[in-house]
Amino acid sequence: MRNFLVLIHLIAVIVWIGGMFFAHYCLRPVVAAQLSPPQRLPLMAAVLGRFFRFVSVALILLWGSGIARFLQVGAGMPWHWHAMAGIATAMTIIFGFIVLRFHPRLKDAVAAQDWPSGGKAMDSIRGLIMTNLILGVITIGVALLG
């Protein structure tokens, strides 16, 4: 059971962190360079919406497998597990802000063809994704070096 929980945990991490890396460093720069806001913002709103659905499932698996491992180990869990849980809590809250506040603003701006507002929402999303990406890499470091 331990190995299965760790596998689920790692798959969820790969989906979330890998997706953020891809979106921030691969997709966004190319889209920004090649498409104008009326083309770019609807594309990014749709791609991010699809990505956020996968991340939502990944978060359920991540938290479920993490809590299950906590329960398996009990009081003797290592310090770095607490650090991972703390950082994951912050990342989950940030993800919540993205999905509940800024992504709806982006979608509303796209629907209204309000490209300046859409750009502002996209900038907020980009900054928060970058913050979560940094926190995710730190969490991986804590997990492996802890």
Side-chain angles (χ1 to χ4, degrees), residues 20-141:
M20 288 189 298
F21 182 88
F22 171 77
H24 191 77
Y25 288 107
C26 301
L27 178 63
R28 187 193 59 79
V30 173
V31 168
Q34 295 186 5
L35 301 176
S36 65
Q39 297 167 315
R40 175 176 63 241
L41 293 173
L43 174 68
M44 290 304 293
V47 168
L48 290 173
R50 186 173 177 93
F51 174 59
F52 295 156
R53 285 190 296 276
F54 280 100
V55 172
S56 296
V57 172
L59 278 172
I60 292 167
L61 296 173
L62 188 70
W63 280 104
S65 61
I67 290 168
R69 286 292 293 138
F70 271 28
L71 295 173
Q72 282 181 337
V73 173
M77 71 186 94
W79 71 267
H80 64 281
W81 286 22
H82 293 284
M84 287 189 302
I87 298 169
T89 300
M91 291 177 68
T92 302
I93 291 168
I94 291 169
F95 177 72
F97 273 108
I98 293 169
V99 170
L100 299 174
R101 184 173 184 180
F102 295 108
H103 190 246
R105 288 182 184 178
L106 174 60
K107 292 189 306 185
D108 290 346
V110 166
Q113 297 184 351
D114 180 357
W115 309 126
S117 294
K120 286 175 68 174
M122 192 64 231
D123 285 344
S124 296
I125 292 169
R126 185 176 68 236
L128 291 171
I129 285 177
M130 186 61 190
T131 300
N132 258 359
L133 182 56
I134 291 167
L135 290 173
V137 170
I138 290 169
T139 306
I140 292 168

